Amino acid sequence: MDFNNFCDREQEKELIIMTENERERWVVTSAWPYVNAIPHLGNLIGSVLSADVFARFLRLRGDEVVFVSGSDAHGTPVAVAARRNNISAEELAMKNHGIIKNLFKKWDISYDNYTHTHNPTHINFTQDFYLDVQKNGYVSEKEIETLYCKHDNLYLPDRFVEGECPHCKDEKARGDQCDNCQKLLTPLELINPKCAICGNTPEIKTTKHWYMDFPKLQHKLKELIENNKIIPQNARTMCLNSIKEGIPERAITRDLEWGIPAPFESAENKSIYVWFEAVLGYVSAVKEWAEKIKKEPKKFDYFWKDKDTKTVYFIGKDNIIFHLIVFPGLLMAYNEDKSQDQKLVLPYNVSSTEFLMYENDKFSKSRGVGIWIDDALKLAPLDYWRFNLVYNRPE
Ligand SMILES: [Zn+2]
Ligand SMILES: [Zn+2]
C-alpha cells in the first residue's frame, strides 16, 4: 500500500464536489515520538491514532487536509541512548526512525508525510526561523552556570542529568522536566544531580546561551488563550495558571553535539534545544510534503500561511504548555515583521489525553512500563486495537 496516498482519492473527490462551499483547510498533526524507543499504546492513542481518526473523518467530509508528523531525531534522549549503546546518535536515530515509520504503516496511520527532524528541509527552515526571531528582537545572550561531568568530559543538558524534583520531591526527575508533577526544570534546580551516563556527581561550570524572550509575549499569549473559545477547559486552565505565574525566558541553545547547529553569530558548538526545533517540524513537514512529495511548493503557503487554516495538535497532557504557549510564542516572534500573507497561522486547537494506565502504573517509554505497538500486533489483529484504544481513550 502506498502510505502517502492511503485514502480513496476517487471517493474523496466526490465528497469534495458535494460540499465545496463549506470546505475547510486543516493541518492535522500528532506529537513527534523520540527515536530512543519504540512507541507504546499510550503514545499511540494519545496522539497518533486519535489524529488519524480525525484526519480520516475530515477527508470523508470533503475538507482539505494535510496530516503530518515525524520522528524527533535529535536531543538528549537519543544522545544518551546512543552513548549507552556505543553507537553514533545519527545511526541510532535513522535506524529507529525506519522501524517506527514502518510500524505506523502497519497500524494504517494515514500520514501525508511522516518524516524526521534530521532532514535538510527541517534543518534549513529551523535555522532561518531563529535568525528571523533574533532579528525581531526576541533573542538575548547570557552567561550561565550549568552542570558538567568531568568523567565524561561533557556538559549535562536536559536528560543527561537526573535527580530529585525540587517541587514534588520525586527522585526520578530529569534535567528538563519532572514526569511526576509535569513541571519544566533546568539541570541546576535538581536536588542531588547525577550524570545519566556514569552516575557521578557533576560540577558547576560557566557557559553562554541564547535565550528566547517569552516575558515580552506574556500579554499577547494571555489574549490568545482567552480569545480561543474552543480549546479544552483543562488546557485553558493550565495555560492561564502558567501565564499568571509568569512565563520565564528559556534557553534556545544547548551544549550538545547531536542537534541542529545554532545559527547565531559566535554560537559555534551550540545546537538548538530539541523542543525548540522539533515543534517547528509541524511547519517544515508540510513544506517538505509540498516540495518533495506533492511537488507543488505553493501548497506550503496555501496551508500554513492562510489565516483561515485550522491547525490541530494531538498530544499528551504533559505537552499542553508547549503547544499552547511556547509554540505560539515562537510563531508570534517570527511573524512580527511579516506581512499578513507571510504569517504562519497560530494554533487552532489541541486535543490532549490523560495518560493510559497499565495495571496501576502509567505507560512510560522512558521507564519501560506498558505494551509496545510492535508487540500489540502479535497479540491481536489491528482492528481490535484500533477500536479498543479509541473506545478506551483516556480523556
Ligand atoms: Zn516534580
Ligand atoms: Zn558522567
Side-chain angles (χ1 to χ4, degrees):
M1 185 184 300
D2 180 355
F3 198 47
N4 291 310
N5 289 301
F6 171 73
C7 65
D8 182 346
R9 295 289 159 184
E10 282 315 304
Q11 189 188 8
E12 189 190 65
K13 273 177 209 146
E14 273 180 32
L15 283 165
I16 288 170
I17 292 162
M18 284 164 66
T19 59
E20 200 164 16
N21 292 338
E22 307 106 345
R23 198 152 46 130
E24 292 179 337
R25 212 173 287 177
W26 296 84
V27 176
V28 179
T29 71
S30 58
W32 292 49
Y34 277 134
V35 289
N36 58 330
I38 300 299
H40 56 62
L41 293 179
N43 304 129
L44 202 79
I45 186 56
S47 60
V48 179
L49 184 57
S50 302
D52 181 53
V53 169
F54 186 63
R56 285 166 185 270
F57 164 74
L58 294 175
R59 291 186 192 118
L60 275 175
R61 210 172 68 165
D63 288 340
E64 291 182 277
V65 182
V66 56
F67 175 28
V68 297
S69 184
S71 303
D72 195 345
H74 299 134
T76 55
V78 180
V80 169
R83 265 186 103 100
R84 283 179 179 157
N85 290 303
N86 249 326
I87 57 170
S88 79
E90 179 164 4
E91 198 184 331
L92 176 72
M94 290 307 111
K95 187 181 123 220
N96 286 356
H97 167 68
I99 293 171
I100 293 170
K101 184 171 179 170
N102 196 35
L103 278 168
F104 287 158
K105 215 181 270 190
K106 283 190 181 158
W107 277 80
D108 270 353
I109 307 300
S110 62
Y111 288 123
D112 293 294
N113 187 16
Y114 184 83
T115 181
H116 60 81
T117 53
H118 200 58
N119 77 69
T121 305
H122 177 69
I123 293 171
N124 294 334
F125 177 81
T126 300
Q127 290 179 327
D128 291 347
F129 183 95
Y130 280 105
L131 285 175
D132 279 10
V133 169
Q134 185 184 42
K135 193 176 71 193
N136 290 344
Y138 286 91
V139 178
S140 60
E141 293 166 43
K142 263 199 243 179
E143 291 263 332
I144 59 147
E145 290 189 322
T146 190
L147 298 177
Y148 185 84
C149 177
K150 240 176 162 172
H151 179 263
D152 290 310
N153 221 342
L154 200 67
Y155 283 100
L156 301 180
D158 309 315
R159 298 192 185 192
F160 268 105
V161 57
E162 294 166 352
E164 190 182 311
C165 172
H167 304 285
C168 72
K169 309 292 174 205
D170 187 86
E171 284 177 7
K172 286 179 269 180
R174 294 174 310 226
D176 54 352
Q177 188 168 26
C178 171
D179 266 353
N180 190 49
C181 71
Q182 312 307 326
K183 287 241 162 56
L184 297 178
L185 300 172
T186 61
L188 276 180
E189 290 175 86
L190 290 174
I191 301 164
N192 291 323
K194 301 277 184 231
C195 169
I197 305 294
C198 68
N200 287 324
T201 300
E203 59 179 52
I204 293 176
K205 216 174 162 172
T206 305
T207 183
K208 186 159 100 173
H209 281 299
W210 279 252
Y211 279 75
M212 173 72 199
D213 192 351
F214 285 110
K216 202 164 154 182
L217 291 161
Q218 176 109 358
H219 291 291
K220 274 187 165 180
L221 287 166
K222 187 164 178 249
E223 259 176 45
L224 180 78
I225 301 294
E226 283 173 346
N227 292 339
N228 187 330
K229 300 295 177 212
I230 62 157
I231 54 171
Q233 192 54 43
N234 66 334
R236 174 191 307 280
T237 309
M238 198 187 273
C239 288
L240 289 175
N241 284 342
S242 164
I243 291 169
K244 208 154 103 194
E245 284 171 21
I247 313 169
E249 290 184 304
R250 294 242 168 242
I252 303 168
T253 52
R254 288 292 188 271
D255 290 298
L256 184 67
E257 212 187 319
W258 177 236
I260 297 181
F264 311 121
E265 210 183 308
S266 81
E268 293 84 21
N269 301 322
K270 311 276 174 188
S271 60
I272 297 175
Y273 176 36
V274 63
W275 264 110
F276 281 156
E277 51 107 338
V279 78
L280 300 182
Y282 295 131
V283 189
S284 71
V286 175
K287 192 170 196 287
E288 187 188 47
W289 165 80
E291 290 169 358
K292 297 193 175 150
I293 296 173
K294 274 304 242 192
K295 308 215 185 298
E296 292 176 57
K298 284 184 183 149
K299 283 268 179 189
F300 170 56
D301 288 10
Y302 181 80
F303 276 97
W304 259 103
K305 296 179 182 171
D306 185 305
K307 64 176 177 31
D308 294 324
T309 294
K310 294 175 173 171
T311 56
V312 266
Y313 303 86
F314 286 82
I315 54 178
K317 72 165 182 185
D318 51 338
N319 282 331
I320 288 175
I321 298 288
F322 232 92
H323 286 76
L324 285 178
I325 293 183
V326 175
F327 183 43
L330 293 172
L331 294 175
M332 284 172 176
Y334 171 84
N335 283 343
E336 196 164 286
D337 68 335
K338 307 285 184 296
S339 57
Q340 189 53 50
D341 65 345
Q342 286 303 308
K343 287 187 201 293
L344 297 170
V345 70
L346 299 178
Y348 173 72
N349 204 356
V350 297
S351 171
S352 68
T353 50
E354 293 292 315
F355 297 117
L356 191 64
M357 301 302 279
Y358 181 72
E359 295 179 347
N360 288 321
D361 204 352
K362 79 176 215 234
F363 273 65
S364 168
K365 211 156 57 166
S366 50
R367 291 181 301 114
V369 179
I371 301 177
W372 273 253
I373 69 171
D374 49 350
D375 292 336
L377 292 181
K378 292 173 202 155
L379 295 171
L382 177 61
D383 281 345
Y384 167 86
W385 288 113
R386 286 185 60 109
F387 171 76
N388 269 292
L389 285 169
V390 172
Y391 188 74
N392 291 307
R393 189 173 189 261
E395 293 186 51

